[in-house]
Amino acid sequence: EDKVVQSPLSLVVHEGDTVTLNCSYEVTNFRSLLWYKQEKKAPTFLFMLTSSGIEKKSGRLSSILDKKELFSILNITATQTGDSAVYLCAAPVSYYGGSQGNLIFGKGTKLSVKP
Amino acid sequence: EADIYQTPRYLVIGTGKKITLECSQTMGHDKMYWYQQDPGMELHLIHYSYGVNSTEKGDLSSESTVSRIRTEHFPLTLESARPSHTSQYLCASSDSPTGNTIYFGEGSWLTVV
């Protein structure tokens, strides 16, 4: 059964700290892994990773994929209170033998950044 | 920014009522999805569509139904709402060949009392 597992489930840090969020996966015919940030509304897209070892970076956020060990990490440096959110990891899977994938999501990591 | 809209954003209704959650996207995406998310829990796919007149059930069983008569429109209907249907419903769409990048609407918070 395909699955995406995130850890930790929750994390409390102080502004300025650096955090690392983990995502491991078991997905048949793996193609890519995605990270989303969810505040009080819908998830917003952060990164899509398809190749091992190539870091994707956007400001203070960065992410990397390890296809051999089947995991990805999301790093946030110099955290700010605005980074407080649930961070979701997801991977496309194929339903009913179809070639077009839908996403399965991990449970998310709830990050709280204290001033 | 993706153009995908959901209405209503918040709804409180009584048990037994019929409701329709609307979802529209102006990007011409073929693929559309409905996810359900209880507070603090993970997202679950309940319905998806690969195009007009195509609808399929997702990995989480749901008593809701969907229709896809037009590319831009993917409404979700509950014929008789129950308190167990209280949840957030997120509509999404995708244009990529493998559905990798999905754009979400802002969600519809449904409370059934």
Side-chain angles (χ1 to χ4, degrees):
Chain A
E1 181 182 343
D2 296 326
K3 61 181 179 181
V4 172
V5 179
Q6 292 185 245
S7 64
L9 292 182
S10 66
L11 190 56
V12 181
V13 300
H14 288 93
E15 273 191 318
D17 289 349
T18 293
V19 298
T20 298
L21 311 182
N22 303 295
C23 175
S24 64
Y25 62 89
E26 292 179 25
V27 175
T28 306
N29 298 321
F30 175 82
R31 286 166 298 201
S32 61
L33 188 133
L34 297 93
W35 285 95
Y36 288 84
K37 177 183 181 182
Q38 185 175 22
E39 296 171 270
K40 289 191 176 179
K41 45 183 183 178
T44 53
F45 175 77
L46 294 176
F47 298 112
M48 182 172 78
L49 303 160
T50 56
S51 302
S52 245
I54 298 176
E55 185 183 56
K56 291 279 183 92
K57 197 169 173 64
S58 176
R60 296 175 294 102
L61 275 66
S62 64
S63 184
I64 198 162
L65 176 68
D66 186 327
K67 291 169 79 172
K68 183 179 177 184
E69 300 298 330
L70 308 183
F71 78 91
S72 174
I73 60 172
L74 175 68
N75 277 323
I76 308 175
T77 59
T79 53
Q80 302 171 357
T81 55
D83 295 328
S84 296
V86 174
Y87 290 84
L88 295 165
C89 177
V93 295
S94 294
Y95 286 101
Y96 310 111
S99 61
Q100 300 183 67
N102 302 302
L103 293 179
I104 57 166
F105 287 84
K107 291 187 176 183
T109 294
K110 182 177 181 180
L111 175 65
S112 299
V113 181
K114 304 294 186 186
Chain B
E1 183 146 334
D3 296 320
I4 179 165
Y5 307 101
Q6 290 186 239
T7 57
R9 293 289 317 284
Y10 304 94
L11 180 65
V12 180
I13 61 168
T15 297
K17 299 290 186 183
K18 176 181 177 179
I19 61 138
T20 296
L21 305 181
E22 302 288 350
C23 177
S24 296
Q25 49 95 5
T26 58
M27 299 168 283
H29 290 172
D30 286 330
K31 298 181 188 60
M32 296 189 74
Y33 311 82
W34 277 103
Y35 289 87
Q36 183 175 344
Q37 185 179 35
D38 293 332
M41 304 297 286
E42 62 260 53
L43 283 157
H44 286 291
L45 181 70
I46 52 174
H47 297 285
Y48 61 100
S49 167
Y50 289 153
V52 171
N53 294 325
S54 152
T55 62
E56 301 285 349
K57 290 191 178 292
D59 60 342
L60 180 68
S61 175
S62 174
E63 292 168 347
S64 58
T65 59
V66 292
S67 63
R68 189 88 183 276
I69 298 172
R70 303 198 313 267
T71 298
E72 63 271 20
H73 197 212
F74 192 39
L76 180 145
T77 298
L78 278 164
E79 290 293 334
S80 180
R82 296 204 302 270
S84 62
H85 297 139
T86 295
S87 189
Q88 181 182 206
Y89 294 85
L90 288 159
C91 182
S93 72
S94 171
D95 64 343
S96 68
T98 53
N100 282 354
T101 306
I102 290 185
Y103 302 93
F104 286 89
E106 293 199 318
S108 293
W109 284 98
L110 173 65
T111 301
V112 183
V113 298

